[in-house]
Amino acid sequence: MVLRFALPLIGFAIALAAWAFGAAALAARTPVAAAFAPGPSLAALWHLVTGPDFAYHVLPSLRRVAVGLGLAVAIGVPLGVLSGLSRRFAQGSGPLFQFLRMVSPLSWMPIAVMVLGVGDAPVYFLLAFAAVWPVLLSTAAGVAQIDRHWLLLARSLSATRAETVLRVVLPGITAHILTGVRLAIGIIWIVLVPAEMLGVQAGLGYYVLDTRDRLAYSELMGAIVLIGALGFALDHIARWLHGRWLHR
């Protein structure tokens, strides 16, 4: 039990020491690099977390993550179920889905801004586009692994297609869906920061650009640490939900 908590702390301590050593080595040649050191950065992080900028920038980012993930689930789960149940649909759409999945979401940024304008709409599109593929593929994989005797039993009981999906398929693949959601959260969090550089006036990506333009490098490093901490927390919540469902 002690090692379970001690080893991660040791890992973070080593990373912190390497951060301090690297900043000091750079500061010897470039004095401005001293602003990237752990002391000023953590002080700026504390000021960010306890000040009004936290709610102003973090809450919009979390809202965009929730909307993007919701759109990805709303699109990916039905398409994944259809791909798993219909061989013809899978054969017809599979190559297209694989082709689109290989296109970087960030490459759609100019088109998203041109079509949807600036603001939240293109950000929602980019996040949903990035997150839909792990949800879709995990859902389809879950449907493919369902015991076919369940489907035959539902058919023998005269269950409709909708009843079979709602009462047999979806409960049987929930663990796979949650796995896809966890992967999607990680992808969304990575895409979020560059996506929020599309003309929005608040958010973690906007804050990173703002600190760069103001040459506030300690605040920039504090924002990076905050982004990592929030992403770690979101992944931990997703893992907890997945574990709770498997235990259930």
Side-chain angles (χ1 to χ4, degrees), residues 58-175:
V58 173
L59 293 183
S61 292
L62 294 179
R63 184 190 71 244
R64 292 172 186 131
V65 167
V67 173
L69 183 62
L71 291 174
V73 171
I75 297 171
V77 171
L79 290 178
V81 171
L82 188 57
S83 297
L85 293 178
S86 175
R87 180 175 299 178
R88 290 184 178 179
F89 181 81
Q91 292 175 344
S93 62
L96 175 62
F97 290 159
Q98 292 296 334
F99 175 84
L100 292 175
R101 188 172 70 91
M102 291 297 115
V103 179
S104 170
L106 299 180
S107 65
W108 293 94
M109 292 174 66
I111 299 176
V113 173
M114 182 178 64
V115 175
L116 301 174
V118 297
D120 286 338
V123 178
Y124 293 152
F125 167 77
L126 294 175
L127 296 183
F129 184 87
V132 70
W133 309 116
V135 176
L136 191 158
L137 296 178
S138 294
T139 302
V143 175
Q145 296 179 16
I146 287 181
D147 190 342
R148 296 300 164 180
H149 291 90
W150 295 4
L151 302 179
L152 293 175
L153 178 61
R155 187 179 304 172
S156 68
L157 295 175
S158 301
T160 64
R161 179 63 66 89
E163 290 174 338
T164 301
V165 171
L166 294 176
R167 302 293 182 86
V168 177
V169 175
L170 288 180
I173 64 172
T174 301

Side-chain angles (χ1 to χ4, degrees), residues 229-243:
L230 291 174
F232 180 85
L234 289 176
D235 181 71
H236 182 76
I237 293 173
R239 281 187 296 157
W240 180 80
L241 291 175
H242 186 265

